[in-house]
Amino acid sequence: MATTAQILEAKSILDAMRVALPGPKVDVFQIGSASTPLNLASQQQRAFKLTWALEQLEKIENKSIAVIGAGLAGVAAATACLLQGAKRLAIYDRNHEPMAYQYGAAHRYIHPLIYRWPEERCGDTSTDFPILNWNEGTADEVRHTVLKEAERLLDLCYKTRNLDRDQLAELTRKQEAGEDGLAETSDEDFFHYRLGSDVRQIVPSGDQIQVLAEGRETAWVKHRRQYLPVGPPRNFRDRYDVVIAAVGFGLETEFEGVPFRSYWHQEVLSQPTIRGVWPRRWLVSGTGDGGLIDAVRLRLFDLDQKALTDVLLGRAPKTPPFKSLEDWSARMKEFHAELRKAEDRIRTRYPNPAAQNANRDPMSHMIEGEYDNLRKAHKHVFDNLMKFLKSYERTDTIVYLCGRQSAPYELGASAFQRFLTYLLRSYCGLRYRSGEWSLAESPRHGQPYVVSFSRPNTENVKLPREQLEVDEIVVRHGADSALGALFGPTVVTAARANPERIAFDNSLWTAKLDEGWTRRLKDRTTERPASPSSRSRKKS
């Protein structure tokens, strides 16, 4: 039985994640669409926190649940609900693959805790969740690890319910083919992957919530060992007790006249320039993590992101200049302690998004000043970082990073990426332009972009716009709200006004959660011999 403290904690989680729909309160929740930090590990943590809170107050067992979004958060939430005994569960996603954004993204290196650098334990290379754990690696490798384990746990759910997934899949296939003498639906199949389905509306309907979607019935294809949309297009009008919107980051904001470049899709940023203008001139717009990461990739050649991460964590690779440095770990530990103090000073001065947005210029200069002071106090550390980075510096690119503030640093980006940007500004020729920009003219094929910048207006003097010619543009202005597309702008405004904040401790998991729930969840992942199914008994 849950304690009073656990009930209060669960209530606070549900209140923070509940979608503010008009009318009576219903069980529709969102995972992290307006929260920070926003990355794979924190989204997975939010998913588990939500399902824990639902189990404490709503009791998942015998509930019908819809999960909108088959990214990591959606897969985690769905798997936890199934292991807790959900009566019926469906995952909706417009893509034909779960975790579709990470599919084939071998160019994106994922480390579960690096966004918390330089905090202690930020170097842990694997997650510590009760289920669906993964190690550092490429986004594609993380996806493969999570989905393989999710499939194993789903198989276990079928076995503990005495159901044959392959047999039910064949029944679904025959139903979709319209073969005679078959019932319209199988009540026994408690799980549906509605991949390739577009959710059009979520409507409260009495004590339940109706999900209206258009797509194709998805079936388990035995020889592919995969769920695939195999049926004809149809409209779904299903009712659920709980709806979880795990719609995640959304797609990046597009900029008129600039080709769309998804953060997750394979691209040429890391490859050498082989034709056209040399060195090739790039503009990277945006000083959040996405923009800073891509600016780094454009300035460092043959970049091993794991080696770079290890160096800043204090794990010296066996390459110059670290080959003969036996004290690198100790020096970086001391440096991390000083950097944490600097981060605390900055966040004390600018404690929340409102203060940060209102003071962009002084905040960015304070961050830069703190790094300058650290550079003077830890000359040995910076000298070796300089030697390491200079050995990777590219000569085939000129990179202009662009942001709204007068220096390229904001607290919305992780300390790791901010500090790395400072190093590249100091040693590897990364350039910076501040101000709003627009295309002065649409380029003809093979011609450069002419970008026009507004310049800071000091002492009420109107300055002429600065123009810059570049060959490529990468826009990293964040994502268009997927939550807004689903529920409308009012819901997004409410979520941003009161974003859910994760209470972090020294691990990804949360000590406040009921350990009994964690044990039960782990216990259900242990396979046991299944008793004969009722279907088998009927056949015999």
Side-chain angles (χ1 to χ4, degrees):
M1 177 177 287
T3 65
T4 301
Q6 290 163 354
I7 290 173
L8 291 174
E9 174 73 5
K11 185 178 184 303
S12 70
I13 292 171
L14 295 188
D15 288 344
M17 293 188 175
R18 193 182 300 275
V19 175
L21 294 176
K25 186 167 66 174
V26 291
D27 284 342
V28 179
F29 305 94
Q30 59 90 15
I31 298 177
S33 294
S35 301
T36 56
L38 198 58
N39 51 57
L40 292 181
S42 64
Q43 284 292 84
Q44 190 175 0
Q45 184 178 27
R46 290 184 180 98
F48 288 139
K49 287 185 71 173
L50 173 61
T51 52
W52 171 82
L54 285 170
E55 173 65 14
Q56 300 304 306
L57 297 182
E58 304 285 343
K59 299 303 176 186
I60 290 174
E61 191 171 7
N62 296 323
K63 294 275 187 180
S64 58
I65 299 172
V67 177
I68 316 300
L72 177 55
V75 170
T79 304
C81 288
L82 288 171
L83 289 171
Q84 289 298 334
K87 179 181 179 182
R88 180 169 59 92
L89 187 139
I91 303 179
Y92 293 80
D93 199 290
R94 66 177 55 184
N95 295 294
H96 285 225
E97 295 274 353
M99 294 183 68
Y101 291 176
Q102 289 76 43
Y103 184 93
H107 64 299
R108 294 297 182 189
Y109 171 74
I110 307 296
H111 186 290
L113 283 168
I114 198 61
Y115 66 93
R116 293 175 58 190
W117 183 87
E119 298 296 328
E120 294 182 4
R121 289 198 62 186
C122 65
D124 288 359
T125 58
S126 62
T127 59
D128 61 351
F129 296 120
I131 55 173
L132 301 182
N133 284 298
W134 47 275
N135 298 319
E136 63 174 338
T138 69
D140 190 58
E141 290 170 341
V142 171
R143 174 187 184 272
H144 178 77
T145 298
V146 170
L147 293 184
K148 183 178 179 180
E149 177 65 2
E151 281 298 323
R152 186 188 74 81
L153 296 178
L154 182 57
D155 272 333
L156 179 61
C157 289
Y158 273 96
K159 290 177 182 178
T160 55
R161 288 165 169 82
N162 297 316
L163 297 175
D164 185 320
R165 176 154 58 153
D166 292 332
Q167 193 171 14
L168 289 171
E170 178 65 14
L171 179 60
T172 301
R173 187 196 66 75
K174 290 180 178 179
Q175 291 166 357
E176 288 298 334
E179 296 183 17
D180 294 335
L182 293 170
E184 286 189 6
T185 184
S186 170
D187 292 333
E188 289 186 291
D189 200 351
F190 61 95
F191 174 75
H192 292 278
Y193 243 137
R194 302 221 188 278
L195 297 171
S197 294
D198 205 6
V199 175
R200 315 303 287 271
Q201 199 173 4
I202 294 175
V203 185
S205 179
D207 294 335
Q208 291 189 307
I209 306 105
Q210 188 174 52
V211 176
L212 307 177
E214 182 180 20
R216 301 169 66 187
E217 187 69 64
T218 306
W220 174 251
V221 180
K222 183 177 180 180
H223 72 279
R224 292 278 300 273
R225 302 302 298 173
Q226 185 177 0
Y227 283 95
L228 294 171
V230 295
R234 58 169 291 189
N235 285 23
F236 300 106
R237 302 172 63 90
D238 298 317
R239 296 174 185 271
Y240 301 93
D241 301 311
V242 178
V243 172
I244 299 172
V247 291
F249 315 118
L251 288 175
E252 293 92 340
T253 301
E254 296 191 50
F255 197 97
E256 186 176 358
V258 178
F260 176 74
R261 298 175 186 269
S262 171
Y263 177 84
W264 295 106
H265 279 186
Q266 291 280 12
E267 25 69 354
V268 298
L269 271 64
S270 295
Q271 293 182 302
T273 301
I274 58 175
R275 62 175 298 180
V277 176
W278 195 100
R280 200 155 186 80
R281 299 161 299 181
W282 290 77
L283 173 69
V284 179
S285 183
T287 52
D289 280 329
L292 300 185
I293 289 169
D294 282 348
V296 169
R297 295 176 66 224
L298 283 165
R299 285 306 301 140
L300 298 180
F301 181 67
D302 193 26
L303 173 63
D304 182 338
Q305 291 176 294
K306 184 181 186 309
L308 181 60
T309 300
D310 284 346
V311 165
L312 290 180
L313 286 171
R315 303 168 184 158
K318 294 181 180 179
T319 57
F322 303 101
K323 190 173 182 179
S324 60
L325 292 180
E326 298 180 356
D327 62 344
W328 182 249
S329 177
R331 285 183 180 269
M332 284 302 288
K333 186 175 182 180
E334 179 183 343
F335 172 70
H336 288 164
E338 293 300 316
L339 183 55
R340 285 196 293 271
K341 294 177 183 177
E343 287 286 322
D344 288 342
R345 287 192 292 270
I346 298 165
R347 293 189 181 277
T348 299
R349 179 78 63 86
Y350 306 104
N352 53 58
Q356 294 160 19
N357 290 331
N359 299 277
R360 286 184 176 275
D361 283 352
M363 175 187 66
S364 64
H365 284 296
M366 181 178 182
I367 294 172
E368 190 168 52
E370 292 286 357
Y371 293 161
D372 285 339
N373 293 334
L374 288 167
R375 186 177 173 182
K376 295 172 185 175
H378 296 270
K379 189 175 183 301
H380 179 273
V381 167
F382 278 80
D383 284 350
N384 282 285
L385 289 174
M386 177 189 67
K387 293 175 185 176
F388 175 74
L389 293 172
K390 290 290 285 184
S391 68
Y392 288 94
E393 183 181 4
R394 293 176 68 166
T395 58
D396 65 331
T397 62
I398 295 173
V399 182
Y400 299 92
L401 183 62
C402 174
R404 287 177 287 177
Q405 62 280 359
S406 55
Y409 313 106
E410 57 175 298
L411 290 178
S414 66
F416 182 87
Q417 295 301 335
R418 278 189 274 115
F419 181 69
L420 190 52
T421 299
Y422 175 82
L423 294 177
L424 265 64
R425 289 271 291 149
S426 301
Y427 306 129
C428 295
L430 177 62
R431 308 181 185 192
Y432 183 69
R433 293 291 185 274
S434 64
E436 301 291 336
W437 64 274
S438 60
L439 293 181
E441 56 186 68
S442 298
R444 296 189 302 273
H445 179 69
Q447 296 299 308
Y449 294 93
V450 179
V451 180
S452 179
F453 284 90
S454 63
R455 291 194 283 182
N457 191 343
T458 59
E459 299 179 359
N460 296 319
V461 177
K462 188 175 183 180
L463 299 174
R465 294 178 71 87
E466 176 188 9
Q467 288 196 339
L468 182 69
E469 287 191 355
V470 294
D471 305 295
E472 304 279 359
I473 299 177
V474 177
V475 178
R476 295 286 178 247
H477 292 176
D480 292 326
S481 173
L483 193 69
L486 195 59
F487 296 107
T490 304
V491 166
V492 177
T493 301
R496 288 175 176 168
N498 183 32
E500 180 269 339
R501 305 285 180 184
I502 285 187
F504 290 108
D505 57 11
N506 285 330
S507 67
L508 276 172
W509 196 233
T510 305
K512 292 181 180 179
L513 299 186
D514 177 14
E515 292 182 1
W517 180 81
T518 305
R519 284 196 301 271
R520 291 195 303 275
L521 202 59
K522 284 185 175 180
D523 185 56
R524 295 187 186 196
T525 65
T526 304
E527 296 191 37
R528 295 180 178 82
S531 60
S533 67
S534 57
R535 179 176 298 177
S536 299
R537 287 195 295 270
K538 285 180 182 178
K539 286 182 179 180
S540 61

